[in-house]
Amino acid sequence: MATFYGTEVASRLMLGTAQYPSPAILADAFRRSGAGIATVSVRRESGGERAGAAFWDLVKELGVRVLPNTAGCHSVREAVTTAQMARELFDTPWIKLEVIGHADTLQPDPFGLVEAARILTDEGFQVFPYTTEDVVLADRLLEAGCEVLMPWGAPIGTGLGLTNIYGLRTLRAQFPDVPMVVDAGLGLPSQAAMAMEMGYDAVLLNTAVAKAGDPAAMAEGFARAVEAGRLAFEADPMEPRDMAAPSTPVIGKAFLE
């Protein structure tokens, strides 16, 4: 089990709830994946609109933990206000914090992210910051009160996978005791398995499942990959070698003269 802010979550797969072809397909994807956490964009769900209420009813029926998201926020004020709305709407101190700094890559604004994280932590939020693999930024977020880090694998929605393996490995090694989730950019289950093999605690994705030809089947594929990757990490994999080494013993082999 993964643990975030003292809460144990059975599944190490987190799924977003946007872009699915229909509510029924969304629900089927969650059932087949066994995902334990669903991210929900507050901007998509207005408490005063019937459509938003219906969506919230659907999420509650899934029986998963909700992680509200400040998706689309480009300033500290906007992100903090959205987080405050989310706490009232969903009755949870959890918040996935996004403060976007670049429109094309959706890369986080590191300065705004730290500032917003500090404000929200002081207000009692339990912040899940969407960040990059930058070690210095990670350190600042931890100093601001975050107890979880969510570095991207690649820009949101690209499906490029783990574009900076060195950076992700370095980040994981630098803070071995901090729960970390690879968030965004994954396109294939094999990429999720690689993240888990590196020692990450979970992965979060949306587009790769929602935009697949068969979202439910893809969700199940990611679930199996996450489980396999975690098992591999816990099994203490062999170290890679530069030269071949025979797997079959040569002692006792017959020699012809």
Side-chain angles (χ1 to χ4, degrees):
M1 289 188 177
T3 301
F4 305 108
Y5 289 102
T7 298
E8 290 188 344
V9 181
S11 173
R12 295 178 183 272
L13 175 63
M14 307 180 184
L15 286 182
T17 54
Q19 306 184 73
Y20 289 84
S22 72
I25 291 176
L26 184 156
D28 193 23
F30 268 85
R31 280 192 292 267
R32 288 184 62 175
S33 72
I37 294 176
T39 58
V40 179
S41 172
V42 178
R43 293 184 164 222
R44 289 177 58 243
E45 312 313 327
S46 172
E49 297 179 1
R50 186 58 207 158
F55 181 86
W56 179 220
D57 289 341
L58 172 62
V59 172
K60 287 189 289 187
E61 290 175 1
L62 296 176
V64 298
R65 178 91 185 213
V66 172
L67 177 60
N69 186 2
T70 65
C73 292
H74 290 259
S75 70
V76 173
R77 180 177 179 181
E78 189 179 17
V80 169
T81 300
T82 301
Q84 292 166 340
M85 292 170 55
R87 181 161 59 180
E88 293 186 15
L89 182 61
F90 298 108
D91 191 28
T92 176
W94 280 16
I95 191 72
K96 179 190 170 186
L97 178 62
E98 290 187 23
V99 182
I100 302 301
H102 192 270
D104 291 332
T105 64
L106 300 181
Q107 181 166 328
D109 171 1
F111 310 102
L113 185 63
V114 172
E115 182 181 351
R118 183 173 290 110
I119 292 171
L120 292 173
T121 298
D122 288 345
E123 293 186 5
F125 283 88
Q126 296 174 336
V127 180
F128 293 68
Y130 163 65
T131 182
T132 65
E133 67 280 9
D134 187 288
V135 171
V136 177
L137 175 54
D139 195 44
R140 297 295 183 272
L141 288 168
L142 295 174
E143 290 177 355
C146 298
E147 297 180 15
V148 176
L149 296 173
M150 301 182 73
W152 66 354
I156 295 171
T158 61
L160 293 173
L162 309 182
T163 57
N164 185 359
I165 293 177
Y166 169 79
L168 289 169
R169 288 190 187 279
T170 301
L171 183 66
R172 178 70 281 182
Q174 187 69 29
F175 305 102
D177 299 322
V178 176
M180 291 191 192
V181 181
V182 171
D183 174 20
L186 299 181
L188 293 170
S190 57
Q191 297 160 356
M194 182 180 295
M196 300 304 296
E197 289 168 0
M198 292 164 59
Y200 279 84
D201 297 276
V203 299
L204 194 163
L205 56 126
N206 189 161
T207 309
V209 168
K211 291 297 186 180
D214 186 340
M218 185 64 78
E220 183 177 343
F222 268 101
R224 294 185 182 187
V226 167
E227 183 178 356
R230 184 64 188 186
L231 284 172
F233 170 73
E234 293 177 346
D236 190 17
M238 63 173 284
E239 291 292 332
R241 296 170 52 96
D242 292 328
M243 300 295 291
S247 57
T248 302
V250 296
I251 298 176
K253 179 181 176 181
F255 290 92
L256 300 178
E257 296 183 358

